Short mmCIF file of all heavy atoms in Angstrom, two decimals:
data_model
loop_
_atom_site.label_atom_id
_atom_site.label_comp_id
_atom_site.label_asym_id
_atom_site.label_seq_id
_atom_site.Cartn_x
_atom_site.Cartn_y
_atom_site.Cartn_z
N GLU A 157 -6.16 14.10 9.75
CA GLU A 157 -7.27 13.20 9.42
C GLU A 157 -6.79 11.74 9.49
O GLU A 157 -5.61 11.46 9.34
CB GLU A 157 -7.77 13.48 8.00
CG GLU A 157 -8.28 14.89 7.79
CD GLU A 157 -9.57 15.16 8.53
OE1 GLU A 157 -10.38 14.22 8.68
OE2 GLU A 157 -9.76 16.31 8.97
N PRO A 158 -7.72 10.81 9.69
CA PRO A 158 -7.33 9.39 9.71
C PRO A 158 -6.81 8.95 8.35
O PRO A 158 -7.30 9.39 7.31
CB PRO A 158 -8.62 8.65 10.04
CG PRO A 158 -9.65 9.67 10.32
CD PRO A 158 -9.12 11.02 9.95
N LEU A 159 -5.83 8.09 8.37
CA LEU A 159 -5.26 7.54 7.14
C LEU A 159 -6.00 6.27 6.77
O LEU A 159 -6.55 5.58 7.63
CB LEU A 159 -3.77 7.23 7.33
CG LEU A 159 -2.88 8.43 7.61
CD1 LEU A 159 -1.47 7.95 7.93
CD2 LEU A 159 -2.86 9.37 6.44
N PRO A 160 -6.00 5.90 5.49
CA PRO A 160 -6.61 4.63 5.08
C PRO A 160 -5.94 3.46 5.79
O PRO A 160 -4.77 3.54 6.17
CB PRO A 160 -6.35 4.57 3.59
CG PRO A 160 -5.97 5.94 3.18
CD PRO A 160 -5.41 6.62 4.39
N GLN A 161 -6.67 2.38 5.96
CA GLN A 161 -6.11 1.17 6.56
C GLN A 161 -5.05 0.60 5.63
O GLN A 161 -5.11 0.79 4.43
CB GLN A 161 -7.22 0.14 6.79
CG GLN A 161 -8.25 0.60 7.79
CD GLN A 161 -7.65 0.90 9.14
OE1 GLN A 161 -6.89 0.10 9.67
NE2 GLN A 161 -7.97 2.05 9.71
N PRO A 162 -4.06 -0.13 6.18
CA PRO A 162 -3.00 -0.69 5.33
C PRO A 162 -3.50 -1.49 4.14
O PRO A 162 -2.89 -1.46 3.09
CB PRO A 162 -2.21 -1.58 6.29
CG PRO A 162 -2.44 -0.97 7.62
CD PRO A 162 -3.85 -0.42 7.58
N THR A 163 -4.61 -2.19 4.26
CA THR A 163 -5.10 -2.97 3.13
C THR A 163 -5.49 -2.07 1.97
O THR A 163 -5.39 -2.45 0.82
CB THR A 163 -6.31 -3.83 3.53
OG1 THR A 163 -7.30 -2.98 4.13
CG2 THR A 163 -5.92 -4.90 4.51
N MET A 164 -5.94 -0.85 2.27
CA MET A 164 -6.30 0.10 1.22
C MET A 164 -5.05 0.70 0.59
O MET A 164 -5.07 1.11 -0.55
CB MET A 164 -7.18 1.21 1.78
CG MET A 164 -8.53 0.72 2.27
SD MET A 164 -9.44 2.00 3.13
CE MET A 164 -9.70 3.18 1.82
N THR A 165 -3.98 0.77 1.34
CA THR A 165 -2.75 1.39 0.86
C THR A 165 -1.89 0.40 0.08
O THR A 165 -1.09 0.79 -0.74
CB THR A 165 -1.94 1.92 2.06
OG1 THR A 165 -2.80 2.69 2.89
CG2 THR A 165 -0.78 2.78 1.63
N ARG A 166 -2.08 -0.88 0.33
CA ARG A 166 -1.21 -1.91 -0.26
C ARG A 166 -1.08 -1.76 -1.77
O ARG A 166 0.01 -1.79 -2.31
CB ARG A 166 -1.74 -3.31 0.09
CG ARG A 166 -0.89 -4.42 -0.50
CD ARG A 166 -1.31 -5.79 -0.01
NE ARG A 166 -0.87 -5.98 1.36
CZ ARG A 166 -1.69 -6.18 2.38
NH1 ARG A 166 -2.98 -6.23 2.22
NH2 ARG A 166 -1.21 -6.34 3.58
N SER A 167 -2.17 -1.56 -2.49
CA SER A 167 -2.08 -1.49 -3.95
C SER A 167 -1.29 -0.27 -4.39
O SER A 167 -0.58 -0.30 -5.38
CB SER A 167 -3.46 -1.49 -4.57
OG SER A 167 -4.18 -0.36 -4.14
N THR A 168 -1.38 0.81 -3.64
CA THR A 168 -0.62 2.01 -3.97
C THR A 168 0.88 1.74 -3.84
O THR A 168 1.65 2.10 -4.71
CB THR A 168 -1.00 3.18 -3.02
OG1 THR A 168 -2.40 3.38 -3.10
CG2 THR A 168 -0.26 4.44 -3.39
N ILE A 169 1.27 1.07 -2.77
CA ILE A 169 2.69 0.80 -2.54
C ILE A 169 3.23 -0.18 -3.58
O ILE A 169 4.27 0.06 -4.17
CB ILE A 169 2.91 0.23 -1.13
CG1 ILE A 169 2.59 1.31 -0.10
CG2 ILE A 169 4.33 -0.26 -0.97
CD1 ILE A 169 2.61 0.78 1.31
#
Side-chain angles (χ1 to χ4, degrees):
E157 300 291 327
L159 296 174
Q161 296 300 312
T163 53
M164 295 172 64
T165 310
R166 180 173 285 118
S167 62
T168 304
I169 292 173

